[in-house]
Amino acid sequence: MNEDDASPELKWYSIGKLWPLLVSLGSAMVMLLAFFIPSVQDQWDRYQSREVIQQYEHLGDQFFDEERFDMAEKAYEKAFEMSEEKRLDIEVKRLNAKVNRVSLEPKWGAKPPEDIQDIDFQFLLHLQKDKTDPRQRVFILNSYGIYLSGVGRTADARAALEEALQLDPNDVLAYVNLGNLFDQMKEKAEAEKYYRKALALQPTNIQAHYNAGLLFAEQNRWPEAVKEFESAQQQDPEDVDIARELANARQHNEETQSPRQPPGNK
């Protein structure tokens, strides 16, 4: 007998037998969708969150490379917060940016920001201890030397900067910082020696020229001071501090170089 020849009662009977199965399948599909839809949404939310975290981290990297350490710290802090404080690699970057803020202080030996502590440097140095590439450790040691000089621990500052030079004998910043440190300690000859070493490695270094100029001006060595300030100004013609010190050194140099008239003559 064909399906078409079946009686209406038989057709309804067949459907009636299949109906519980169809209902069961429908319920199973609903449960399956109920399970997977939130999962898919959750995965999408996580993907978007990772994208935003990466953007903040990338922004922090850019600020750090530009030595805008305060902005880098804020970007890393936001990325770490969005990771639900699980991305410890980002937290290390944030801490690195934080401690390097001491290098933004324009005056050597100034008191460091209160939120930067010795333990911050110790933690980062511990992480860098066994790394094959010493450059990051050298960078941290330079900032540590600045920090230690600011809290009056000059012997420890010297040790940190000398360790930086042991790791990288060509690190110009460490030579400049040691020059600043010896100048702070009133050891002028040693300070000059380290400024000259820095300039031997990098003749265009503004900090070395400028700080050497200040050192010579303090010693009334005006021709040498003028030369150093002029070299610094060639690298940054817009710097107002360099321009002021150069004008002052030139004035004193002209006064000392002007021939004095014999008494009684006009």
Side-chain angles (χ1 to χ4, degrees), residues 27-82:
S27 300
M29 184 62 68
V30 171
M31 291 180 64
L32 194 62
L33 289 174
F35 176 79
F36 276 108
I37 288 176
S39 178
V40 171
Q41 182 63 46
D42 184 59
Q43 292 295 326
W44 175 248
D45 291 342
R46 290 183 181 181
Y47 171 78
Q48 289 185 312
S49 179
R50 284 196 298 269
E51 287 289 303
V52 176
I53 291 170
Q54 289 177 355
Q55 289 177 12
Y56 273 111
E57 183 181 9
H58 180 64
L59 185 62
D61 292 342
Q62 288 182 319
F63 283 138
F64 193 95
D65 291 340
E66 295 169 4
E67 298 186 359
R68 298 167 66 183
F69 301 120
D70 50 346
M71 297 299 294
E73 181 184 2
K74 288 181 171 59
Y76 291 139
E77 184 177 7
K78 185 65 176 179
F80 182 62
E81 178 185 329
M82 293 192 66

Side-chain angles (χ1 to χ4, degrees), residues 94-149:
R94 185 200 67 80
L95 187 57
N96 201 0
K98 173 185 175 181
V99 300
N100 279 294
R101 280 171 29 217
V102 299
S103 63
L104 301 178
E105 173 56 52
K107 184 179 179 182
W108 178 269
K111 187 177 180 180
E114 293 184 358
D115 64 323
I116 299 178
Q117 302 296 325
D118 188 276
I119 190 63
D120 298 329
F121 293 97
Q122 294 294 338
F123 175 73
L124 289 171
L125 290 171
H126 177 75
L127 290 178
Q128 296 294 329
K129 188 174 183 179
D130 299 324
K131 296 292 180 66
T132 55
D133 186 353
R135 286 176 296 182
Q136 188 60 46
R137 184 176 180 84
V138 169
F139 199 72
I140 297 169
L141 284 167
N142 270 296
S143 294
Y144 195 27
I146 297 172
Y147 169 84
L148 291 169
S149 72

Side-chain angles (χ1 to χ4, degrees), residues 75-93:
Y76 291 139
E77 184 177 7
K78 185 65 176 179
F80 182 62
E81 178 185 329
M82 293 192 66
S83 75
E84 299 179 352
E85 300 185 355
K86 295 178 181 178
R87 288 283 306 276
L88 294 181
D89 58 320
I90 296 178
E91 174 63 4
V92 170
K93 285 186 175 184

